Amino acid sequence: AQSVTQLGSHVSVSEGALVLLRCNYSSSVPPYLFWYVQYPNQGLQLLLKYTTGATLVKGINGFEAEFKKSETSFHLTKPSAHMSDAAEYFCAVYFSGNTGKLIFGQGTTLQVKP
Amino acid sequence: DAMVIQNPRYQVTQFGKPVTLSCSQTLNHNVMYWYQQKSSQAPKLLFHYYDKDFNNEADTPDNFQSRRPNTSFCFLDIRSPGLGDAAMYLCATSRGGRVGNTEAFFGQGTRLTVV
């Protein structure tokens, strides 16, 4: 079965601390992986994506993520959190095939404390 | 420049009164998605079009239907809205295919209130 799991619905860090948001997926075929950010009452904005090639991908706002096939993971990191990073983060996986579709994880709320 | 446009941004409808939400795109993408997102939850895929092919998720209620008259437009019809259908509805597009980019572009969403 195809699925996406984000561990931890809420993550709280201090400003300047490392941000780590976890994402694991289940797929029988190589997936395409994404992280999106959502601010209140807004649509979804793409942070970064992995399709093929280098497994460490860099995105906007200093975020990066590493695709680890052996662990079926695509964790999102940022070395130093800013207050403006507080938002909802969604991991998403595109499962290719005849009817290819994009499925989201449950989301993780990132709180940044001063 | 808006690429995926949803209208209206806010929609209030009466319980049981049919309502239609619209989505248009300027990207010429062949895939269009409709997601339902309730407060503090992940977007839930209702259905999507891959070219003209309609793909309904197994757990999407029959109350929800969709139309895609051409590449640029897609509509979400809720035949008899219930209080539980109040949510943000997100439209997205992507370029699908074996070597597709697959990145999805989202509209701003339509927040539906049922009274």
Side-chain angles (χ1 to χ4, degrees):
Chain A
Q2 301 165 333
S3 64
V4 185
T5 302
Q6 291 181 238
L7 298 177
S9 58
H10 288 83
V11 170
S12 181
V13 300
S14 298
E15 191 173 20
L18 171 71
V19 176
L20 171 61
L21 305 182
R22 300 177 186 274
C23 175
N24 290 86
Y25 69 91
S26 173
S27 174
S28 58
V29 298
Y32 298 136
L33 301 160
F34 305 85
W35 276 98
Y36 285 87
V37 61
Q38 187 177 36
Y39 298 97
N41 294 315
Q42 296 290 319
L44 291 148
Q45 179 183 7
L46 182 70
L47 276 178
L48 47 79
K49 63 181 178 183
Y50 169 79
T51 54
T52 59
T55 56
L56 180 64
V57 294
K58 295 184 184 298
I60 62 171
N61 301 339
F63 284 93
E64 62 182 37
E66 186 172 10
F67 169 55
K68 292 186 177 181
K69 185 178 179 180
S70 61
E71 299 177 8
T72 61
S73 69
F74 191 57
H75 301 331
L76 180 71
T77 61
K78 181 175 181 177
S80 177
H82 293 169
M83 297 296 293
S84 59
D85 294 327
E88 188 82 11
Y89 291 81
F90 293 98
C91 178
V93 182
Y94 179 85
F95 296 101
S96 59
N98 291 337
T99 64
K101 59 186 181 182
L102 184 67
I103 300 296
F104 286 85
Q106 303 92 320
T108 298
T109 301
L110 176 65
Q111 179 187 22
V112 182
K113 298 177 291 185
Chain B
D1 294 338
M3 295 179 289
V4 182
I5 303 166
Q6 291 187 243
N7 283 306
R9 287 291 308 277
Y10 300 91
Q11 174 75 57
V12 180
T13 191
Q14 292 180 334
F15 182 94
K17 183 177 181 180
V19 65
T20 295
L21 310 182
S22 71
C23 177
S24 63
Q25 56 137 334
T26 60
L27 298 163
N28 201 34
H29 283 168
N30 61 325
V31 185
M32 292 189 79
Y33 305 85
W34 278 106
Y35 290 87
Q36 178 193 64
Q37 187 180 24
K38 296 187 176 181
S39 182
S40 301
Q41 296 184 22
K44 177 182 179 298
L45 182 63
L46 295 173
F47 26 61
H48 72 288
Y49 283 90
Y50 194 105
D51 295 319
K52 294 181 179 180
D53 294 333
F54 177 71
N55 300 277
N56 198 33
E57 292 301 296
D59 57 354
T60 297
D62 293 339
N63 196 28
F64 291 84
Q65 297 181 339
S66 184
R67 296 169 284 135
R68 189 180 185 186
N70 53 53
T71 299
S72 301
F73 287 88
C74 195
F75 300 97
L76 170 62
D77 301 309
I78 308 177
R79 290 192 296 182
S80 182
L83 297 179
D85 297 328
M88 175 77 86
Y89 289 87
L90 297 168
C91 174
T93 74
S94 69
R95 190 175 74 231
R98 284 187 303 167
V99 197
N101 188 309
T102 74
E103 173 185 344
F105 292 81
F106 283 81
Q108 290 287 81
T110 295
R111 181 163 295 284
L112 179 68
T113 300
V114 181
V115 298

